[in-house]
Amino acid sequence: IYKEHEQREKARCVCNGSPSRRGCVTLAETYASSLEQSGSRIFWAASAMRNHIVLGADASNAFAEAPPPKAPLYVYLDTQFREWWKARGYGDIHPSHKVMRVKKALQGHPESPRLWATLIDKIISALGFVPCHHEPCLYIKHDTSGKDIYFLRQVDDFAVSASTIEDAEGIISSINSKMSIQIKS
C-alpha cells in the first residue's frame, strides 16, 4: 500500500474475517462501542463554551497494540515475508515453517476493534477519565485545579480538549507512553 502523505510504502498483515471464509476465524465477542454524532457535537460544544484548545491524535496501528483474539490465529508465511525477514537481518526461515502464530490483534479480524477499544478504554480510565453514561466514547476528567478536560475517541483517533495546550499534550504523551508505536499528534 503506498501512502502518499507519508511518502513511503506501508505493508500491513491483515486478516480476512469475512463470513464467507468460514472456519478460518473463530469468533468471540465482537462488539466495540463507536462514537455517535450527538457525542461529537457535545464534545465540540463543551470545548467551545469553555474556550478550550483541542488537539487531535491518531494511533497509527492501533490493532497491533491490542492483545490477540481468544482463539489462536496463524498467518501463512509466503515468499515475500521470508525475503523481508531475511533482509531485516533476522536470518532464513526454513520452508517447512509454513505458519506463524499472531500475538496481537490483526486488522480485518472481527474481534480486533473490541480488543483495541478495551485496551484504550483501560488506558484512558487509568488517566482519571470517566466515560459518559450514554456516550462511552466521550470522557471527562475533573482536574484537581478545578479545570475539566474532555477526551473524545473514535476507534484510533482522539481529540483532547483542555484549557491549556500543555494539559492536552500531557494527556497525549501519557497515552503515547503506553504504546509501542508512536501516536501521531
Side-chain angles (χ1 to χ4, degrees):
I1 303 169
Y2 184 72
K3 301 270 188 170
E4 278 190 40
H5 64 280
E6 294 182 20
Q7 300 296 311
R8 68 184 179 100
E9 288 188 12
K10 191 171 190 178
R12 288 197 176 144
C13 186
V14 297
C15 175
N16 183 350
S18 118
S20 66
R21 304 275 301 174
R22 282 207 274 215
C24 295
V25 175
T26 305
L27 298 179
E29 294 179 49
T30 59
Y31 175 79
S33 59
S34 60
L35 180 67
E36 292 192 25
Q37 189 175 26
S38 58
S40 179
R41 288 180 175 173
I42 290 167
F43 173 83
W44 291 107
S47 298
M49 286 174 40
R50 302 232 192 288
N51 200 26
H52 277 188
I53 292 168
V54 178
L55 294 182
D58 173 42
S60 60
N61 200 359
F63 293 160
E65 301 286 348
K70 283 186 178 184
L73 182 66
Y74 297 86
V75 294
Y76 176 75
L77 300 180
D78 58 10
T79 304
Q80 293 86 349
F81 180 85
R82 292 173 199 280
E83 290 171 359
W84 171 84
W85 187 260
K86 187 175 180 179
R88 304 259 323 189
Y90 299 127
D92 286 325
I93 299 175
H94 194 273
S96 67
H97 296 117
K98 298 194 184 315
V99 295
M100 174 176 60
R101 183 153 183 196
V102 177
K103 295 183 179 180
K104 293 288 186 174
L106 200 58
Q107 188 171 340
H109 191 285
E111 287 181 59
S112 294
R114 180 192 54 83
L115 294 167
W116 163 250
T118 302
L119 173 70
I120 195 62
D121 183 66
K122 285 179 185 174
I123 292 170
I124 296 165
S125 295
L127 293 174
F129 286 91
V130 178
C132 294
H133 181 73
H134 293 290
E135 181 53 78
C137 296
L138 181 59
Y139 301 76
I140 187 167
K141 178 180 180 180
H142 299 292
D143 197 310
T144 54
S145 62
K147 300 181 284 185
D148 291 337
I149 301 175
Y150 306 115
F151 191 95
L152 181 71
R153 93 175 149 80
Q154 186 169 348
V155 188
D156 62 346
D157 296 318
F158 317 121
V160 181
S161 169
S163 58
T164 68
I165 196 165
E166 292 80 20
D167 288 343
E169 285 174 340
I171 298 299
I172 292 171
S173 179
S174 295
I175 293 170
N176 205 19
S177 72
K178 308 282 188 241
M179 301 286 142
S180 60
I181 301 168
Q182 284 288 106
I183 290 176
K184 296 177 185 165
S185 184

